[in-house]
Amino acid sequence: MTGTRIGVVSLCLLLVSSSAGAAEKARVAWHPSKPQLGDVAWLHVKDVAETATVEGSLDGRPVTFFPYASGHAALVGIDLDLKPGSYTWRVGVVEPGREPRTAQGKLYVARREFHVQRLTLPPGMVDLDPETERRAVTEGQQLATLYRTITPERLWQGKFTKPVGTPGEGTGFGARRIINGKPRSPHSGIDYSAPLGTPVVATNTGRVALVAEFFFPGRLVVLDHGLGLYTLYFHLDAASVAEGERVERGQTLGTVGATGRATGPHLHFGAQVGGARIDPATLLGLSLLD
């Protein structure tokens, strides 16, 4: 995380130094211009050379840029529990032969209504004994640490594809779950109902960051697509890839199962950008295409 802190400091220094003079404005566009909770937005800094250094932040949290369409772009995750309202964004650009450029403004994050989902599960899967609770907490911390790790290389390219070939769309993102009558954490992915053994495929090119069997998500595969983007495949019956392996879009990762805390065979498909829990459906519909 040291490199991230350095990036924020250098951006602040650029903004402070350029405020003393008449710095040229960077041309910036947000897509969408008013994202909702759970969206993956993207920020496009236009008319910037591929060799330029571009840094930015939203609400003080750094975003990571890559060359794109005669400029640079960055994916920005809007966490499902973020408070709706206006947030300050900042961008700084340094490139050879030009004066440093900056831009800043406000991004309005719109409210989104999430439905309430009531589930009944065996008590042993909800009211955990101390040893199992310690295990679940440790596993959750391991995943959270992984999602905060930013690989500097962009691995994904082009359109993201659906992770299963069954009809229908994934459902349940952001659902406020009440399990056995008690409120629990919101559902941070989408579920695809599919028969046991249905192939599960990589939604885009990436590297296998984790293959494991955890208490809540069961057998799982996590893909690192670079620049802080991860996709998650939970409750698998079997995994057919190994940690560190590079996989291509559409490559089989495993099969649908009912491992972990699951009431039946299905795929829980999740996505995170910079540690923000986003609706994977917005990733599948991403308008940023090479």
Side-chain angles (χ1 to χ4, degrees), residues 162-179:
K162 188 176 167 183
V164 290
T166 54
E169 303 301 322
T171 60
F173 177 78
R176 273 38 188 175
R177 290 187 154 178
I178 297 177
I179 301 178

Side-chain angles (χ1 to χ4, degrees), residues 106-188:
K106 295 284 189 179
L107 179 71
Y108 181 76
V109 176
R111 184 180 304 277
R112 177 177 175 181
E113 296 299 326
F114 297 111
H115 74 278
V116 175
Q117 188 177 28
R118 300 179 185 274
L119 299 172
T120 300
L121 295 175
M125 298 187 73
V126 181
D127 302 316
L128 308 182
D129 61 77
E131 182 178 350
T132 303
E133 186 169 3
R134 283 192 294 269
R135 172 192 171 186
V137 168
T138 299
E139 292 169 349
Q141 291 172 339
Q142 182 179 345
L143 288 172
T145 299
L146 175 62
Y147 302 150
R148 289 194 300 268
T149 304
I150 299 178
T151 301
E153 179 187 6
R154 178 192 176 201
L155 300 175
W156 65 273
Q157 202 81 17
K159 185 176 176 56
F160 287 78
T161 192
K162 188 176 167 183
V164 290
T166 54
E169 303 301 322
T171 60
F173 177 78
R176 273 38 188 175
R177 290 187 154 178
I178 297 177
I179 301 178
N180 294 358
K182 296 180 181 179
R184 301 288 175 171
S185 299
H187 189 234
S188 59

Side-chain angles (χ1 to χ4, degrees), residues 41-89:
W42 61 281
L43 174 59
H44 189 197
V45 183
K46 303 176 181 180
D47 186 27
V48 176
E50 185 172 333
T51 55
T53 298
V54 182
E55 295 175 343
S57 66
L58 175 65
D59 193 35
R61 300 183 64 178
V63 296
T64 308
F65 287 87
F66 56 90
Y68 174 79
S70 301
H72 282 229
L75 295 185
V76 181
I78 310 297
D79 189 80
L80 64 87
D81 271 344
L82 188 69
K83 183 179 178 181
S86 294
Y87 292 88
T88 300
W89 60 264

Side-chain angles (χ1 to χ4, degrees), residues 4-17:
T4 295
R5 294 193 187 98
I6 291 173
V8 174
V9 170
S10 61
L11 172 62
C12 291
L13 290 174
L14 174 59
L15 289 168
V16 169
S17 62

